[in-house]
Each structure stands twice: as structure tokens, then as C-alpha cells.
């Protein structure tokens, strides 16, 4: 890929119960995230919060995944912003490296 | 990211026909996977199993994607567990590197 | 993972308005992509094209995400093929590294 200029960003995949969507998107907006995409009506199985230990849940069509791409500097404030939430509620944040061909959509 | 402690895991994205969901989640449960998220009603186009070679399929709303995060040691047994299945059926497993902020949800 | 032979590919996650699905899948077909999976009815918020600058959109259930895995050599022609489109329309392409256990489904 000699000619294509790609830029590194961090992808966040935030999986949580749909009823908490507005909490999550408000947090992202305040952190300065410029856009996100939401996958609705996910099913899932997992542990129900950290304090409740290993209580399992099975959920049909109630989870959502919010996908967003952010500069690396935003990862820590976002993850820390969600930490109290995920102490009490189901869900997780996956962080991974991606590249995009232009940065204008993701930075201020 | 000086203060945020992130831990590496492997993300598996397992795409297969929804009718085989229980086979897949049983395999994951037996492998020791602690949780997963399922995206329903995917469409797709691809090759229909390895033995059938390049026969193409077009499928509407019948595929699912099971997303899970596992310690690296679980990748090989899970992929090998699925190999006979994917020899006969549509689908694929994508493996990628992710980070999560806490490991308790993903390890025993 | 001593015994498992994994092969590197690039994953493309192409998010765009569902009305343009056929444009996108035609472009992928012509580029030589062997298969893809489509997540339907996504919601999203983001900037509406590059030329329109920072006009924001809010869209419910009209976005799709096309997921495909390709050899690295296909990334540049595909991203360049989409560039004029994303100059005018909402959406983005995320590029990331994945591994798959067999290449026959992804290469010619």
C-alpha cells in the first residue's frame, strides 16, 4: 500500500443493555466523540456486573453494541467514564487498533 | 494511556447460519468461554463450505455473528473444534487482538 | 498456538446508508472480494460527507455495515474505489488486522 495514506485510530465496541443507550451516547458526546454506529437487538450471555460476581444472565434482543473510532487520547477518559457503570451493569468495552483513510471524520 | 491498565485478549467473530447457533454456543461453553454476544439476522454472500468448493450462496437474514473475547490459550481449541463444522457449512471465524480494561469477565 | 496455522488478512468494516448497498457490493465483487456479511438496520450519528463538513446526521435503522476479509493487496483498490462515494455520502471504512484459520474462502 504505497499510495494509500492510512491513519491509526482506536475502535471501541461498547456492549451494554439498550435501556442504557442514552447514558452511553451522552458520555461519548461529552468526551468529544464525533460519531458512532449502533447495532441493535443483540442477544448475549455473560456475567452480570463485577460486584455480583459470576451470576449469569441470558438476554434476548436487549443488548446493543455502540461502535466508534477515536484518537488514542480519548480511550482512557472514555473507559474510565464507563467504569462505574460497568461495575454495576452487564457489558464490556473492546478496544482495538484500526486504520481509516481520512481523519477528518474522527478528529476536531 | 499511563494510568489505564488494559489487558490483551483475542476476539473471535464467528459467522454461521443461525440454525447452528446452539451447536456453536455449546462448543464455546464447553471450551470455557464466559460470555458472548450474538448479532442476529445478518445477510451474506460467500463460498458454501470447503468441500463444496466455490459454490456461492446468497442468504438473507439467516446468518448470525457470535462475538466473544477469550484468553489466547482458548483460540486453538475453539478454532479446531469448529473446523469439522466449517468443512461442511458456510461461515468463518475472524480472530483479532483486542484489549479490555478488566479481565475478570473473561477468565476463570 | 503451536499447531494452529493462522493466516493474516485485512478486515474491512464498511458503514454506509443501506440504500447504497448494491453500489458497495458491486464494487467489492468487481475488486475480487469472495464474500461478505451485512449487518442491517444500524443506527448512527456522524458527519455527513467530507464536502459538507461538519453537518451532523442522526439516522435510525438506515445504516448497514458490510464486513469482509481480504488480502492486503485488495485494501488500496477498494478504499480508493470508495473514496469518491464517501466524499459525498455518510459512512466510513474501518481497516483492521485479523487472522483466519484457512485462506481458501478468501483468495482466488
Amino acid at each position: 500500500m504505497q499510495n494509500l495514506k492510512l491513519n491509526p485510530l482506536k475502535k471501541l465496541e461498547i456492549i451494554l443493555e439498550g435501556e442504557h443507550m442514552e447514558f452511553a451516547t451522552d458520555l461519548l458526546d461529552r468526551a468529544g466523540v464525533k460519531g458512532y454506529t449502533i447495532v441493535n437487538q443483540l442477544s448475549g450471555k455473560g456475567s452480570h456486573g463485577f460486584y455480583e460476581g459470576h451470576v449469569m444472565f441470558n438476554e434476548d434482543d436487549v443488548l446493543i453494541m455502540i461502535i466508534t473510532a477515536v484518537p488514542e487520547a480519548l480511550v482512557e477518559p472514555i473507559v474510565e467514564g464507563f467504569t462505574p457503570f460497568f461495575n454495576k451493569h452487564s457489558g464490556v468495552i473492546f478496544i482495538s487498533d484500526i486504520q481509516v483513510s481520512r481523519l477528518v471524520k474522527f478528529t476536531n
Side-chain angles (χ1 to χ4, degrees), chain A residues 46-57:
Chain A
S47 61
H48 210 320
F50 293 111
Y51 292 143
E52 298 175 62
H54 297 277
V55 180
M56 302 300 280
F57 69 96

Side-chain angles (χ1 to χ4, degrees), chain A residues 3-43:
Chain A
N3 300 310
L4 188 62
K5 175 85 178 71
L6 296 177
N7 303 281
L9 287 173
K10 294 289 184 179
K11 182 170 70 167
L12 304 180
E13 294 170 303
I14 305 163
I15 298 170
L16 76 173
E17 290 167 290
E19 63 183 285
H20 302 299
M21 180 180 72
E22 202 169 304
F23 163 80
T25 56
D26 282 353
L27 193 157
L28 294 175
D29 288 339
R30 288 197 310 273
V33 170
K34 289 192 63 183
Y36 44 78
T37 302
I38 301 174
V39 189
N40 297 290
Q41 292 190 295
L42 307 181
S43 310

Side-chain angles (χ1 to χ4, degrees), chain A residues 23 51 79-89:
Chain A
F23 163 80
Y51 292 143
V79 171
E80 290 186 346
F82 275 105
T83 296
F85 176 83
F86 284 125
N87 282 342
K88 288 186 288 188
H89 296 94

